[in-house]
Amino acid sequence: MNNSEVLQGRPAVIAKETKPAISVPEEPGKSKQRERMRTIIRGSILPVTVLLVWQIIGSTGLVTKTILPTPVEITKSFIELLVSGELYKHLQISLFRAALGFLLGGGLGLLFGVLVGLFRRFEDSLDPSIQMLRTIPHLAITPLFILWFGFGEFSKILLIAKGAFFPLYVNTFLGIRGVDSKLFDVARVLEFSRFKQITRLVLPAALPNVLLGLRLSIGVAWLGLVVAELMGSSEGVGYLILDARQFSQTSIVFVGIVIFAFVGKGSDSIVRYFEKKLLKWRDNFNG
């Protein structure tokens, strides 16, 4: 305090030095968890809103329960089927059919896609016929499969395989043909063998298209499963839907539809997970 200020009777104002606030960086794990939670919340807004509106419409009696049962009634039917064990039995059979048909059709689609993409002679001899068969709808060929192979498991698995074949075939073919030709020139300079060209050059470059074809193939395999089980079956989720429709049990029909939706989304999410792991090297726009 200065002498002049004491004499004037005014206290001196002493300014304290303020240190700048230090911002602590957030841990990467916590930031990822928050971003994941935001993604889940954003993705849940639409379905939760639809369910709420659906429940309100059903509860007020604007639509009869036979036509549109409420989500609560559908949940009750799901629990009853789950407790009785009937749902597990049908779901197990459907999963087995879908997996076997997908492995058969998807495996052949991948093999033929690689052969046609790598060798022009295979393209000239196989691709025109395959593209012609690709345009035949499932419902058009189903009666023929039943006439040839009956109502047994073999016809159902073949129908699922037929649907799973083409998406993987087409996308594998396009992925291989989309590889930059300059990479092959580099492979020749490095004296890569044909096997090394395929494993270290062609397949990694075509992997994004192959994984896209895998996702589409799984979706079409589920579609083929529904068609196969609705056309003629005594077991499976498709049969459960058909049997419930005949007795006007609409809530059970919705249970089967929801099961197909969740299992299909689950299988697609698994492929997307591996897609993120295998394609970390890509620097793409993520929105």
Side-chain angles (χ1 to χ4, degrees), residues 125-139:
S125 58
L126 295 177
D127 189 64
S129 300
I130 292 175
Q131 295 299 335
M132 181 177 63
L133 293 174
R134 186 173 64 89
T135 59
I136 300 176
H138 264 56
L139 293 176

Side-chain angles (χ1 to χ4, degrees), residues 99-113:
L100 199 57
F102 168 75
L103 290 175
L104 177 61
L108 289 175
L110 180 64
L111 175 62
F112 278 81

Side-chain angles (χ1 to χ4, degrees), residues 87-99 138-139 142 146 150-153 155-157 159-160 221-246 256-257 259-260:
L87 182 61
Y88 174 76
K89 181 187 70 173
H90 290 298
L91 181 59
Q92 185 181 24
I93 293 169
S94 293
L95 287 174
F96 174 76
R97 290 169 178 165
H138 264 56
L139 293 176
T142 300
I146 292 174
F151 288 96
E153 295 297 317
S155 62
K156 296 179 181 62
I157 291 171
L159 192 63
I160 296 167
W222 282 109
L223 177 62
L225 173 69
V226 175
V227 173
E229 291 185 343
L230 288 178
M231 290 300 293
S233 180
S234 59
E235 294 174 312
V237 179
Y239 167 76
L240 182 68
I241 294 174
L242 185 63
D243 185 63
R245 181 190 65 83
Q246 293 175 351
I257 294 171
I259 287 172
F260 278 126

